[in-house]
Amino acid sequence: MSESTDPGTPGFEIPDFDPKRTRRAVRTGVMRTASTVLAALLVMCLLATAGSAWIQRRGDREQRMSDVLGTALQVANPGYRIRLGETSVTPLSLSLEVGISPLRASGGFAAGTAFADTRDEITQDFFGRVRQPPLGHGTDTSLTYALYNIGTGNDPKDRMRKVLARLPETMRALAVVEFAKPMTSAELVAFARQYEECPETVVYEKRPRATPITWEMTRTPGPVDLPEGGMCSDAPPQTLKGLRGWVEMLRDYDERNLRQFGLDLARLRKAAAEGEAYAYVNELSPIGRLRKIIEDPRVATVRVADVAFDLQAP
């Protein structure tokens, strides 16, 4: 060991080399460096996740997903009652919960997604693109087939009279009433008042052997108000207003996603602009009333998609 000979310098002794202490110091340094790097990566991941979630939910993106994509699913599948639920987010996608139930002659009971026959999600990726929406091919219902037949001449009056004659007069039906000529909203209101009917879904397109564009009375985004007249028969003008309001909010960049649902922006705009009712759907029409309606010369035919019998009826 050497000792400084400079009187102004305090004595300093170089310690002996200790392999164990050196290895321990190296391990401590490596651990500290690794911990720092891992902490930095964790912070970066948290920031990226939080930032991604913020980007996914920026502005009105969640509400627009519900208004545009949720409504598109409903318009594309008129044979189902679809309820929209909550949205959820991941770093790479935004999802909207939906409850799906086939439409039956069971009345207008509005249940949340938890009470639906099937629960699913509409999911769009980070860039807002939808790839595989719920439902699709092979999910047709009896109501869907009745809508397919609008404009085909299938199920003519003489045949449907026999069907109605076999059913009890007090039985209620999920029925599609097709017109010989399309009606305006005012004409449809007059027709509905005459027969005390409820046009719960109006068909705004004649598209034989395919799903036409329809709009449900309660489908308008936002709060649903009673028709101005207070009666369901007075709803067609507001139903058309709802369709037109939805189509107006669509943009050209929505075209790609709409096609994933089987919809076409040009067709939607045309149907909304024309506003002609080719048919309507009533979920609970009494058979006795449908027997009268089918005799009206303004009616092309009446198709019964489903029936419900009230065992307590007199």
Side-chain angles (χ1 to χ4, degrees):
M1 298 295 173
S2 62
E3 186 176 330
S4 174
T5 57
D6 187 348
T9 302
F12 175 76
E13 184 176 328
I14 299 176
D16 293 333
F17 176 72
D18 187 341
K20 291 184 178 179
R21 181 179 295 178
T22 302
R23 286 195 295 268
R24 187 163 53 250
V26 170
R27 284 197 300 269
T28 301
V30 171
M31 292 296 292
R32 287 177 178 173
T33 302
S35 299
T36 302
V37 172
L38 288 174
L41 290 175
L42 179 60
V43 170
M44 290 174 64
C45 288
L46 291 174
L47 290 175
T49 301
S52 175
W54 178 82
I55 292 173
Q56 297 273 27
R57 288 190 163 116
R58 69 189 182 277
D60 63 347
R61 203 161 183 254
E62 282 185 281
Q63 185 61 50
R64 197 167 194 280
M65 182 182 187
S66 177
D67 290 345
V68 174
L69 301 184
T71 304
L73 180 65
Q74 297 172 351
V75 174
N77 298 278
Y80 291 83
R81 173 168 282 115
I82 296 172
R83 301 300 178 196
L84 306 181
E86 301 295 325
T87 55
S88 58
V89 65
T90 70
L92 299 177
S93 66
L94 186 65
S95 298
L96 173 65
E97 182 187 28
V98 293
I100 304 170
S101 300
L103 202 58
R104 303 183 180 94
S106 57
F109 175 68
T113 56
F115 297 94
D117 289 32
T118 303
R119 296 174 68 181
D120 208 328
E121 288 183 338
I122 303 172
T123 301
Q124 62 181 23
D125 63 20
F126 186 82
F127 301 101
R129 295 174 298 195
V130 176
R131 298 191 181 278
Q132 293 182 332
L135 295 174
H137 299 293
T139 57
D140 300 322
T141 67
S142 57
L143 177 57
T144 307
Y145 285 118
L147 294 172
Y148 284 166
N149 280 322
I150 292 175
T152 63
N154 295 337
D155 304 318
K157 280 189 173 184
D158 56 349
R159 178 182 174 185
M160 296 312 299
R161 284 191 188 102
K162 296 176 182 178
V163 172
L164 294 172
R166 291 197 299 267
L167 299 173
E169 189 174 82
T170 55
M171 178 177 283
R172 293 184 176 267
L174 170 65
V176 177
V177 177
E178 180 183 350
F179 299 121
K181 293 181 180 179
M183 291 188 177
T184 65
S185 287
E187 290 171 337
L188 182 51
V189 167
F191 182 92
R193 285 179 179 173
Q194 178 181 341
Y195 292 103
E196 298 182 345
E197 276 284 91
C198 181
E200 292 166 302
T201 298
V202 180
V203 181
Y204 288 104
E205 182 185 40
K206 183 170 69 173
R207 195 166 177 240
R209 299 176 182 85
T211 304
I213 292 169
T214 64
W215 194 262
E216 186 182 346
M217 180 178 62
T218 59
R219 190 173 288 158
T220 305
V224 178
D225 297 323
L226 287 173
E228 292 180 4
M231 301 296 292
C232 185
S233 58
D234 297 321
Q238 288 174 254
T239 303
L240 178 58
K241 183 180 178 181
L243 171 63
R244 285 175 169 169
W246 181 67
V247 171
E248 286 174 2
M249 78 164 55
L250 300 177
R251 300 292 177 261
D252 290 343
Y253 59 75
D254 291 314
E255 175 74 20
R256 184 190 180 281
N257 281 342
L258 291 173
R259 288 188 178 278
Q260 296 298 313
F261 292 91
L263 299 174
D264 180 89
L265 188 54
R267 281 177 44 223
L268 288 167
R269 288 171 173 168
K270 181 175 184 292
E274 293 176 350
E276 294 184 319
Y278 290 85
Y280 72 86
V281 179
N282 188 343
E283 296 178 24
L284 284 173
S285 289
I287 294 298
R289 184 192 299 165
L290 294 177
R291 291 175 185 172
K292 297 176 182 178
I293 290 175
I294 202 170
E295 301 303 331
D296 192 306
R298 295 170 292 178
V299 174
T301 191
V302 173
R303 296 182 178 89
V304 175
D306 190 31
V307 294
F309 189 70
D310 185 0
L311 296 176
Q312 298 181 349

